[in-house]
Amino acid sequence: MAGKIDAYIDCVSPYSYYATLYLRRNRDALRSHGVEVELHPVFLGGINVGSGNKPPWTLPAKASYSKFDSERACKYFGVPQIKTPDFFPILSIMPQRCMIYIKRHYPQERYETTFLSLWEWMYHKNIDISKPEKLAELLKSHNYSDQEIKDILESAKSPEYKEALTANTQKALDQGAYGAPWFWVRNKEGKEEPFFGSDRFAFMWQYLGIPFQDVTIVEKAKL
Ligand SMILES: N[C@@H](CCC(=O)N[C@@H](CS)C(=O)NCC(=O)O)C(=O)O
């Protein structure tokens, strides 16, 4: 395909959730314009450290604004209002490494729907999926077998998947990332540029030369 959107996302980031839902809903339209979408798990904590940024909720003014922003985003993206979980923020390293394993070993649809359920369990069901036993339950609900669940969870401790998450995170940092969702976008002319945030899709469509009316699917999330 001529165009490509590489999306760098972390399950700890609700804006990564909205962006993922939106890109998936509009994937057919994007394909019809020759644009492919790929989701890359990253470690947002590493992006913050590497870029010298800090999570928005640690700055009081941003934290109080984010209540309005988050409510509007949920409304816009058709997601039930999210509630900051009691255990927030989680250490997302383990689930993110597992997502890389699943991406490498399973079909794209299975990978992406499993990824989406990390947010659903955390933000809608208030379940801490950074705990291995909870993540195992989540995987079970997606019909992974006991052996598969064992392999997936073991992968999170292996050097191969530690390095893979570090490499994805470093790749985003090298592109200038300072938060999530981060996007690296190639257009039909072969030019490439970064985009930050689930609220910058209008700029992205302009860059990709896609008419806005073709990529406006924001229907309700199926939960
Ligand atoms: N305006 C962006 C905000 C995205 C955002 O706040 N992302 C958080 C993680 S959930 C982050 O990494 N923020 C870094 C920053 O804003 O400097 C959007 O609507 O998507």
Side-chain angles (χ1 to χ4, degrees), residues 6-202:
D6 284 298
Y8 295 85
I9 52 172
D10 188 329
C11 66
V12 78
S13 152
Y15 294 96
S16 295
Y17 176 37
Y18 314 138
T20 301
L21 281 172
Y22 184 70
L23 285 172
R24 278 174 50 79
R25 288 170 189 164
N26 288 287
R27 184 177 257 145
D28 289 346
L30 290 166
R31 263 197 203 120
S32 73
H33 285 280
V35 177
E36 184 196 338
V37 176
E38 186 174 351
L39 306 178
H40 305 274
V42 288
F43 177 48
L44 180 55
I47 290 185
N48 279 325
V49 172
S51 64
N53 201 356
K54 58 180 195 169
W57 59 86
T58 60
L59 193 113
K62 283 190 183 176
S64 52
Y65 175 74
S66 85
K67 289 185 205 108
F68 297 99
D69 203 35
S70 162
E71 206 176 308
R72 290 172 193 149
C74 287
K75 202 169 161 192
Y76 179 77
F77 288 106
V79 178
Q81 290 298 320
I82 64 162
K83 189 170 100 31
T84 304
D86 311 331
F87 45 82
F88 193 80
I90 57 155
L91 186 64
S92 60
I93 287 184
M94 210 256 307
Q96 291 295 97
R97 286 183 192 150
C98 292
M99 290 308 110
I100 298 183
Y101 179 92
I102 293 175
K103 183 179 179 186
R104 288 185 183 176
H105 291 84
Y106 294 88
Q108 184 188 57
E109 184 60 17
R110 191 120 189 251
Y111 156 59
E112 294 185 357
T113 49
T114 307
F115 209 146
L116 279 172
S117 67
L118 295 179
W119 287 292
E120 291 160 7
W121 278 48
M122 225 179 345
Y123 288 108
H124 298 304
K125 298 186 181 175
N126 202 42
I127 298 172
D128 184 354
I129 47 75
S130 66
K131 301 254 184 302
E133 66 279 10
K134 295 297 173 195
L135 188 52
E137 262 178 51
L138 178 149
L139 294 170
K140 190 105 193 142
S141 78
H142 280 269
N143 300 318
Y144 293 91
S145 70
D146 290 343
Q147 185 57 51
E148 288 176 308
I149 293 171
K150 196 163 167 265
D151 293 342
I152 294 167
L153 294 178
E154 282 300 311
S155 76
K157 293 183 243 159
S158 74
E160 184 183 353
Y161 288 91
K162 284 182 183 173
E163 280 160 28
L165 184 62
T166 304
N168 279 2
T169 304
Q170 190 57 51
K171 191 162 184 189
L173 279 167
D174 292 344
Q175 295 165 354
Y178 60 89
W182 181 258
F183 307 97
W184 191 255
V185 181
R186 186 182 67 230
N187 67 15
K188 283 173 206 138
E189 288 81 50
K191 291 194 184 128
E192 300 185 345
E193 277 189 17
F195 291 80
F196 170 67
S198 60
D199 53 355
R200 288 297 180 268
F201 286 116

